[in-house]
Amino acid sequence: MNESADLPDGYEISADPARIDAARVHHWLSTDAYWALGRSRDKQDAAIAGSVNFGVYEESSGEQVAYARVVTDRATFAWLCDVYVAPDARGKGLGVALVGAVCAHLEPYGVRRTLLATADAHGVYEKLGFKALETPENWMARGTQ
């Protein structure tokens, strides 16, 4: 799937759900991602099952080093979430390459809007065309998280 020209040598991106290391993804998110701390394995497995999942893998070992998922109807709307790069793989451009590949994967569907929420990675997403909502007063949310 290597749809991102900016993917560093030695890595590949795949949307094959069979390649997702669910235990590793759960560990990453439930112990190191501020938005998912304490998330149960059952909850994470359900999230994976209900999403389009993407992984970044080292070509030599096949080890997964990053993850992202999209909740979408594949027609009008997409929500990008759980974007995570393993600490020892950060600083190589894998996050930007992964999100770029996710966006490229969604393009053929013609979704009108892809949303995400972040507290700390605005610069990463801005490189790929994401911007703050122009009319946030039109949006509403239910629930606390």
Side-chain angles (χ1 to χ4, degrees):
M1 172 180 173
N2 294 343
E3 296 175 18
S4 175
D6 298 326
L7 185 64
D9 289 340
Y11 294 94
E12 64 180 326
I13 298 174
S14 175
D16 179 354
R19 293 190 67 185
I20 298 298
D21 184 339
R24 177 174 290 199
V25 169
H26 173 256
H27 175 75
W28 285 338
L29 297 179
S30 68
T31 64
D32 191 42
Y34 67 84
W35 65 89
L37 292 175
R39 185 182 289 171
S40 73
R41 176 67 191 267
D42 287 344
K43 183 73 72 175
Q44 184 60 46
D45 287 348
I48 289 170
S51 302
V52 180
N53 299 274
F54 301 82
V56 178
Y57 304 89
E58 290 182 346
E59 288 180 339
S60 61
S61 67
E63 179 181 354
Q64 185 171 354
V65 297
Y67 174 75
R69 69 185 181 92
V70 176
V71 180
T72 183
D73 60 7
R74 292 180 175 92
T76 62
F77 181 84
W79 174 268
L80 173 62
C81 48
D82 288 345
V83 179
Y84 186 90
V85 178
D88 59 348
R90 293 179 186 162
K92 301 176 182 179
L94 295 175
V96 172
L98 174 57
V99 174
V102 169
C103 292
H105 183 89
L106 292 172
E107 280 181 23
Y109 299 123
V111 297
R112 180 175 172 194
R113 180 174 289 120
T114 301
L115 292 176
L116 62 84
T118 185
D120 61 353
H122 295 78
V124 171
Y125 298 108
E126 287 170 349
K127 291 177 186 176
L128 296 157
F130 286 87
K131 59 185 178 178
L133 293 174
E134 291 179 18
T135 55
E137 66 276 6
N138 291 353
W139 292 85
M140 298 177 73
R142 182 172 184 255
T144 59
Q145 293 190 28

